[in-house]
Amino acid sequence: MTPLAQRIASQIAATGPISIAEYMAICLLHPEHGYYTTRQPLGRDGDFITAPEISQMFGELIGLCLAQAWLDQGAPSPVAVVELGPGRATLMADLLRATAQVLGFAAAAEVHLVEASPTLRAEQAARLSDATWHDTVETLPQMPTLLVANEFFDALPVRQFLRNGAGWRERQVGLQDGALAFGLSAPMPPETLPDRIEDTQEGDLVETRPSAEPIAAAIGRRIADNGGAALLIDYGTWHSLGDTFQAVAGHEKVDPLAAPGAADLTAHVAFDEIARAAAPAVAVPLTPQGAFLSRLGLAQRTEALAKGLTGDALKTHLSAARRLTDPDQMGNLFQVLGLTPPGAPPLAGLDG
Ligand code: SAH
């Protein structure tokens, strides 16, 4: 048993079963034993690998999309360049390097990072010379904002509800013979999720992400009021249906209850929830990551970088490009939601 499993079991024994969201929050961000608080999970030697860790081209192309939005909106100065959950700061480092060629951008940019993990903040500080850290989006500055979040929302806790007759039951974590086990709450009324009664049937499972709403609202308000753009990239779909709660450790899927605090816990992002909460900012239609990167010139950039490479380095580079865009790899699983102020020019690479 991990130290956290012991604590969670004692808590449940004392006060009863907890929601999936509460379980996720404890496992990921417990101050002493949480997954993100205590470790650096990213990369080949870690538990999982993300797009910016696969290839520098990911951060570069995101940088160019955001810099284009900045130019299209009259190159406001200063401009906040914001990342939520920057991990090892690889994406931000690649973005800043690529946009250094855009006249005036570097001088206008102020880097702001929202990061909960002290371990990852230290890593980010080592990679970026000049940045300001925030615990939450609420303290981000009120100014034109270019924001990116890659695999951030998927780490925010979800609640799960199972359709039960005319109402719902919430999926919970409880105890069975002393071990953590999934269970269901007592029946809850239809009003628990009023807008999902019409499109679900007995036995369907729906996920909601309560903490994403205030975050999306704060981003949307800043972009609508002050200008800028946001790119929110994650695995998921427009609308939630079905159980997507999963745990990954050592690049393998594991039982989410087996080792609390020692495995990454995520659930797919339902982008409709975020788009709705971000109003009055305008949500650009959801675009698959593969199409987005290809339109921004991934093939040309792949070729240009390939010229300097041979042997294994070249092979790794070419397979990284495929991994980011291939429909069977990350190309369709990952989706991009763009946010712009009402009336702003469209964002490069996105549908619509
Ligand atoms: N964007 C990076 C890292 C993704 S991992 C990449 O693509 O490689 C998720 C990141 O979000 C980590 O940096 C984690 O510490 C951070 N994070 C998770 N929950 C958070 C929260 N509630 N508030 C702030 N940061 C959080």
Side-chain angles (χ1 to χ4, degrees):
M1 245 196 195
T2 62
L4 209 47
Q6 195 56 59
R7 280 171 189 247
I8 296 171
S10 319
Q11 181 188 334
I12 293 171
T15 58
I18 57 176
S19 68
I20 303 291
E22 197 177 339
Y23 178 74
M24 272 183 91
I26 299 171
C27 290
L28 294 178
L29 293 175
H30 184 278
E32 269 171 81
H33 303 292
Y35 180 73
Y36 283 117
T37 4
T38 55
R39 44 188 97 203
Q40 193 301 94
L42 289 145
R44 258 167 263 281
D45 302 332
D47 286 316
F48 61 98
I49 189 158
T50 56
E53 303 296 331
I54 290 172
S55 170
Q56 68 182 71
M57 296 187 290
F58 187 76
E60 291 171 350
L61 294 173
I62 286 181
L64 295 183
C65 173
L66 292 177
Q68 186 62 53
W70 178 72
L71 289 171
D72 288 345
Q73 292 179 31
S77 179
V79 63
V81 177
V82 179
E83 185 170 0
L84 310 184
R88 301 168 73 184
T90 307
L91 192 166
M92 185 55 78
D94 293 335
L95 177 158
L96 293 173
R97 191 185 58 253
T99 52
Q101 296 170 27
V102 178
L103 194 67
F105 188 85
E110 274 184 18
V111 176
H112 291 268
L113 307 173
V114 178
E115 176 56 66
S117 155
T119 312
L120 287 172
R121 273 191 190 202
E123 185 124 355
Q124 292 153 17
R127 301 279 299 269
L128 302 171
S129 52
D130 203 7
T132 306
W133 277 265
H134 300 260
D135 291 329
T136 78
V137 292
E138 300 300 333
T139 55
L140 288 170
Q142 293 287 354
M143 62 165 79
T145 296
L146 302 169
L147 181 145
V148 60
N150 184 61
E151 292 210 45
F152 169 77
F153 283 95
D154 70 1
L156 299 180
V158 289
R159 294 178 71 178
Q160 294 190 321
F161 298 91
L162 195 69
R163 181 70 190 270
N164 173 62
W168 307 93
R169 282 174 189 262
E170 181 160 14
R171 200 161 175 239
Q172 297 177 317
V173 178
L175 288 175
Q176 204 164 36
D177 305 324
L180 299 177
F182 288 113
L184 290 173
S185 74
M188 301 164 96
E191 301 77 55
T192 309
L193 281 181
D195 59 337
R196 295 309 303 270
I197 291 295
E198 284 298 310
D199 71 349
T200 52
Q201 320 173 0
E202 182 72 25
D204 279 350
L205 189 141
V206 170
E207 295 173 337
T208 67
R209 192 173 251 113
S211 59
E213 288 176 28
I215 295 174
I219 297 170
R221 216 177 309 116
R222 274 176 180 70
I223 288 174
D225 291 352
N226 309 319
L231 294 170
L232 312 179
I233 307 155
D234 241 302
Y235 62 158
T237 49
W238 181 245
H239 201 47
S240 156
L241 189 63
D243 172 21
T244 70
F245 179 46
Q246 66 163 47
V248 166
H251 301 271
E252 302 283 345
K253 275 198 187 182
V254 298
D255 171 359
L257 302 186
D264 186 36
L265 300 179
T266 60
H268 282 197
V269 172
F271 287 94
D272 61 347
E273 218 181 351
I274 293 175
R276 227 179 300 124
V282 178
V284 181
L286 204 55
T287 306
Q289 171 175 301
F292 172 68
L293 295 175
S294 300
R295 289 175 190 150
L296 291 171
L298 184 108
Q300 291 82 341
R301 185 71 183 132
T302 302
E303 233 176 84
L305 287 173
K307 291 206 174 95
L309 300 170
T310 54
D312 281 351
L314 178 60
K315 253 192 235 159
T316 306
H317 169 62
L318 296 176
S319 83
R322 273 196 305 277
R323 190 162 170 197
L324 291 178
T325 52
D326 219 70
D328 298 332
Q329 300 193 56
M330 296 173 81
N332 276 348
L333 179 60
F334 282 78
Q335 302 276 328
V336 188
L337 181 75
L339 298 175
T340 60
L347 292 175
L350 293 181
D351 291 346

